[in-house]
């Protein structure tokens, strides 16, 4: 598997000027099978958790799976990365063209959903299906949801100190990077990324993932330059994709949503709004599931992809 990844890196160097020499890309399965391309979260994260837990299993179900770390993020080291949607979209397009992928299904996990939406706006004919997996449509609504849920938890615990910190957060400039950073910190602290009671399968998957001496440590790492870069260049924490998604859907593009019922980044009110934008029949909520849908409910996740690729 390492040899295939290294060989493709050489291919990129010799044929694609737009993609960095250090771009980390990996494929699973037969290239003649229906293509699925995974877009990881962030900014500043990587595709290691999907690579370790899910990519090979999807390939075994008859898909050609491609994953990569965006330029300047994770294992795709590039000190000259611009951290703009324009560059990010063109990098993604170069990968699609290099593999001659036709009618791709994009899995946009979290921030990857934003990247997928931006790509679809520019290259709608190249995509068969965009699946928003735990992806924010309005970042400010997500931050507000985190604050409201955190406040309930702190009140139940009678945690006066944390409530004071929360009040201070609410007085900050919501467009600032500090504001979003503190919101995500509260989400992490309050367990919003994990289901209350994981399924036996999810527990087993996570145990195997933690034993992966290469990919698990990689998945635990986040880098700051992409966070700052996308904030400075794209003001991403103020993004609301509602009108763009509505435009794409009205133009006949297939966009669906897959979210966990216990994903603390999204309130029930938010998910209802997502349902109005995507269509009730195009939004699926999975029980006993939080942000990493492909781990928390892996069987349902894979079944969903199979059913929606016919």
């Amino acid at each position: 598997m390492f040899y295939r990844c290294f060989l493709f890196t050489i291919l990129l160097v010799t044929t694609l000027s737009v993609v960095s020499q250090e771009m980390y890309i990996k494929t699973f399965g037969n290239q003649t099978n229906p293509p699925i391309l995974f877009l990881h979260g962030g900014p500043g994260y990587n595709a290691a958790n999907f690579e370790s837990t899910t990519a090979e299993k999807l390939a075994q179900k008859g898909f050609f799976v491609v994953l990569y770390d965006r330029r300047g993020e994770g294992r795709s080291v590039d000190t000259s990365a611009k951290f703009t949607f324009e560059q990010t979209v063109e990098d993604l397009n170069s990968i699609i063209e290099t593999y001659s992928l036709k009618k791709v299904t994009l899995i946009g996990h979290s921030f990857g959903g934003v990247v997928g939406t931006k790509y679809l706006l520019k290259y709608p004919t190249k995509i068969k299906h965009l699946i928003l997996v735990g992806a924010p449509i309005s970042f400010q609504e997500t931050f507000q949801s985190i604050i409201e849920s955190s406040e309930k938890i702190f009140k139940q615990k009678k945690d006066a100190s944390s409530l004071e910190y929360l009040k201070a957060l609410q007085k900050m400039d919501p467009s600032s990077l500090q504001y979003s950073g503190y919101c995500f910190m509260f989400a992490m602290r309050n367990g919003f990324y994990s289901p209350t009671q994981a399924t036996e399968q999810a527990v087993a998957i996570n145990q195997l993932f933690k034993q992966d001496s290469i990919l698990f440590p990689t998945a635990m790492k986040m880098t700051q330059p992409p966070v700052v870069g996308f904030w400075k260049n794209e003001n991403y924490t103020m993004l609301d994709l509602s009108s763009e998604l509505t435009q794409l859907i009205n133009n006949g593009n297939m966009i669906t949503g897959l979210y966990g019922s216990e994903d603390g980044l999204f309130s029930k009110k938010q998910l209802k709004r997502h349902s109005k934008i995507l269509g009730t029949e195009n939004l699926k909520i999975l029980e006993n599931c939080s942000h990493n849908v492909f781990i928390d409910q892996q069987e349902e996740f894979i079944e969903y992809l199979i059913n929606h690729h016919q």
Side-chain angles (χ1 to χ4, degrees), residues 1-6 8 24-39 46-69 75 95 99 101 104-105 107 209 212 214-215 294 298 302 305:
M1 195 67 75
F2 170 79
Y3 175 75
R4 178 167 56 181
C5 182
F6 175 77
F8 185 60
Y24 180 90
I25 305 171
K26 199 163 186 178
T27 68
F28 298 79
N30 191 316
Q31 195 167 344
T32 62
N33 289 340
I36 287 178
L37 207 158
F38 179 76
L39 305 172
N46 56 71
N49 60 349
F50 185 83
E51 179 180 345
S52 179
T53 63
T54 311
E56 183 62 44
K57 292 179 181 178
L58 271 175
Q60 291 170 0
K61 294 295 182 178
F63 293 102
F64 178 60
V65 182
V66 182
L67 58 84
Y68 74 108
D69 291 355
R75 295 157 289 184
I95 294 169
Y99 281 106
L101 303 180
V104 188
T105 291
I107 300 174
F209 181 33
D212 190 326
I214 296 175
L215 293 178
F294 49 88
Q298 190 174 88
I302 293 174
L305 286 170

Side-chain angles (χ1 to χ4, degrees), residues 103-105 124 126-130 253-254 308-310:
K103 293 297 181 181
V104 188
T105 291
K126 295 188 177 185
I127 301 304
K128 176 184 176 70
H129 183 189
L130 169 62
N253 295 282
M254 185 177 180
H308 283 76
H309 209 285
Q310 296 175 352

Side-chain angles (χ1 to χ4, degrees), residues 275-291:
S275 178
K276 286 184 179 180
I277 294 170
L278 302 177
T280 305
E281 69 284 2
N282 292 323
L283 180 69
K284 185 175 179 62
I285 310 297
L286 301 182
E287 299 299 322
N288 291 335
C289 182
S290 186
H291 198 59

Side-chain angles (χ1 to χ4, degrees), residues 20 22-24 40 43-46 68-83 87-88 91 222-227 230:
S20 161
E22 300 297 328
M23 182 74 79
Y24 180 90
H40 66 78
Y45 196 46
N46 56 71
Y68 74 108
D69 291 355
R70 287 185 295 271
R71 181 196 294 262
E73 300 185 53
R75 295 157 289 184
S76 294
V77 179
D78 187 343
T79 56
S80 64
K82 295 179 180 178
F83 302 119
Q87 185 180 66
T88 301
D91 282 349
M222 287 195 71
T223 50
Q224 194 66 14
V227 180
F230 275 106

